[in-house]
Amino acid sequence: MSASDSSPELSSEIALLRQPGLIGCLAGRNLSAFSSQVQAVAVGWQIYALTHSAAALGFAGLAQFLPMLLLTLPAGHVADQFNRRRIVITCQVIEASAACLMAIASWQHWIGAWALYVLVALFGACRAFEMPAQQTFLPAIVPVSLFPRAAALSSSLFQVACIAGPSLGGVLYGFGADTCYALCAIGFAISALATSSIRLRFPARQRQPITLESVMGGIAFLRRQRPMFGAISLDLFAVLLGGATALLPLYAEDILHAGPVALGFLRAGPAMGAVLMAGIMTRWPIRHNAGRTMFFSVAVFGVATIVFGLSHSILVSILALMVLGAADVVSVMVRGALVQLGTPDEMRGRVSAVNMLFIGSSNQLGEFESGMMAAWMGAVPAVVIGGVGTLIVTVLWMRLFPGLRDLDRLDDIKPAD
């Protein structure tokens, strides 16, 4: 078939894959995500095996959240002032070294719950610097016309990593936590090599000292961009209230009466749904009514959370988590397009830092909230109440942010002043 006979969609996909640096960008991000998912399964199961405490699972989320809370905004300033590729590589090398240490400590039976908290906190600190810098790569590599497809492809591969990581982590945990951590060390090391293959031109800028005004520049920018702020804060509250991943070890053992392999499939459930949706959106990206589509997807996220919370069937639980993941990826893509395309390059590090802080808050602080709520009232009421809270927040945000609700085309987004 000649080039003239090719469909526009196929031509766009070929043009996308030919973008220099895209393969290294995707490989570095997704190998790191894969390793983080394997680690999350091992840490969660190991902590619960050591403590048999829902609160202990919540403290693991808190240990990762606190360094992100303290460091993410300064990290955004660093990403806008220094070589972003070097920042990411340095963080991935530290993560590989820490995972190797965890493997040795588990192999020699030196590790306890508090040691795991310390190591998880170290990973949280690394992620605080790695993620804002890493989030700036994609818009620097692909043109605006291809960004929605590139974002969908990146999300699809990310979700594949989130499927393979928990599934393989659950299987490998049967051989010991040290096996999981050794695989993580290898994955982080390879991701550093992949990131080093990216060639990005860093614009020459006058270095600014770290001041309160420069560090808080991302927040000041978002306050002026109501739709962007609405999308980020909606994700914060929806996942903070509706997130139940911290309780998956408890659900696997005490409610569904399964084991670590089932835990791996439960953790992979959201990613399995997300990769299906991301694959669909890579081929058929959102054309119109992006804002309303986002709100609908967050409402579906809340309903799926309620179904998961009430389920006592492993099959129903996995299906509910798949729907939850499929709905979440739609919200992620709309938010990502708003943040990356609507932000000028000189502000991308700081705005990405605020975005990642909100995401970290919703994930890690949400895990802490879920653990505390489950310890207080039981796992099932905690998850169901969180899902109901997500639905309430969705309705409120539709009224508070009409600009986000009425957002139409993603490829019409331009950098704001």
Side-chain angles (χ1 to χ4, degrees):
M1 182 172 59
S2 66
S4 61
D5 295 330
S6 300
S7 68
E9 291 83 2
L10 182 58
S11 299
S12 296
E13 289 167 5
I14 293 172
L16 175 62
L17 293 175
R18 287 177 176 172
Q19 298 301 309
L22 180 62
I23 301 301
C25 172
L26 296 177
R29 177 176 185 251
N30 293 302
L31 283 169
S32 180
F34 168 81
S35 302
S36 297
Q37 291 295 322
V38 173
Q39 175 192 282
V41 170
V43 168
W45 196 268
Q46 194 171 24
I47 286 178
Y48 196 66
L50 290 169
T51 65
H52 292 282
S53 167
L57 294 172
F59 282 122
L62 183 64
Q64 189 168 1
F65 166 71
L66 288 178
M68 294 184 69
L69 176 65
L70 296 174
L71 297 174
T72 297
L73 293 182
H77 174 89
V78 170
D80 282 337
Q81 300 300 312
F82 297 93
N83 188 300
R84 293 163 177 167
R85 185 173 65 95
R86 291 178 184 172
I87 294 170
V88 174
I89 292 171
T90 300
C91 292
Q92 290 170 342
V93 169
I94 294 173
E95 289 164 349
S97 302
C100 185
L101 178 61
M102 293 171 76
I104 295 171
S106 295
W107 175 45
Q108 295 294 325
H109 304 287
W110 297 336
I111 204 161
W114 284 105
L116 287 170
Y117 293 148
V118 171
L119 288 166
V120 165
L122 175 62
F123 276 97
C126 287
R127 299 295 280 177
F129 283 90
E130 178 183 355
M131 295 173 75
Q134 196 174 56
Q135 289 293 313
T136 66
F137 290 173
L138 201 60
I141 291 172
V142 300
V144 172
S145 60
L146 294 175
F147 186 85
R149 290 181 184 275
L153 175 61
S154 177
S155 181
S156 179
L157 293 174
F158 178 81
Q159 299 303 338
V160 169
C162 291
I163 293 171
S167 302
L168 188 58
V171 172
L172 291 181
Y173 193 87
F175 297 95
D178 54 331
T179 305
C180 294
Y181 298 139
L183 179 63
C184 293
I186 295 171
F188 285 125
I190 298 175
S191 68
L193 291 174
T195 303
S196 68
S197 71
I198 305 171
R199 295 293 179 261
L200 293 174
R201 295 183 60 186
F202 185 70
R205 301 192 189 103
Q206 184 177 1
R207 295 265 174 91
Q208 298 178 3
I210 295 182
T211 64
L212 183 61
E213 181 180 2
S214 66
V215 169
M216 303 297 287
I219 293 177
F221 177 84
L222 285 173
R223 288 181 63 186
R224 300 192 299 270
Q225 309 302 319
R226 292 279 296 170
M228 196 182 301
F229 179 74
I232 293 175
S233 58
L234 175 63
D235 181 85
L236 166 67
F237 286 105
V239 180
L240 175 64
L241 294 170
T245 55
L247 302 178
L248 291 184
L250 185 153
Y251 261 82
E253 183 165 315
D254 296 342
I255 295 177
L256 300 173
H257 305 293
V261 174
L263 172 62
F265 282 110
L266 287 171
R267 289 197 67 95
M272 287 190 285
V275 75
L276 292 174
M277 179 59 70
I280 292 170
M281 296 182 70
T282 301
R283 185 67 174 170
W284 298 286
I286 297 173
R287 302 292 188 187
H288 297 283
N289 297 317
R292 294 179 187 275
T293 301
M294 179 181 183
F295 279 110
F296 176 76
S297 70
V298 176
V300 172
F301 181 95
V303 172
T305 299
I306 295 171
V307 173
F308 169 77
L310 295 173
S311 171
H312 285 74
S313 163
I314 185 71
L315 179 60
V316 172
S317 296
I318 292 173
L319 289 174
L321 290 171
M322 289 178 65
V323 173
L324 180 150
D328 185 54
V329 81
V330 177
S331 173
V332 167
M333 288 182 184
V334 175
R335 186 186 70 242
L338 273 169
V339 171
Q340 297 301 329
L341 297 181
T343 305
D345 182 72
E346 65 272 13
M347 289 292 300
R348 279 196 179 121
R350 280 167 287 181
V351 174
S352 294
V354 178
N355 185 33
M356 300 317 300
L357 179 61
F358 275 50
I359 293 172
S361 299
S362 61
N363 289 332
Q364 276 74 52
L365 194 58
E367 289 180 6
F368 177 68
E369 177 268 339
S370 296
M372 295 300 101
M373 287 281 287
W376 174 45
M377 64 174 58
V380 173
V383 173
V384 171
I385 290 173
V388 173
T390 299
L391 295 175
I392 294 172
V393 167
T394 303
V395 174
L396 288 176
W397 256 238
M398 288 186 72
R399 295 180 63 86
L400 291 173
F401 297 95
L404 175 60
R405 182 191 64 214
D406 297 333
L407 176 68
D408 189 29
R409 293 179 60 89
L410 296 179
D411 53 8
D412 284 343
I413 299 171
K414 300 292 188 293
D417 297 329

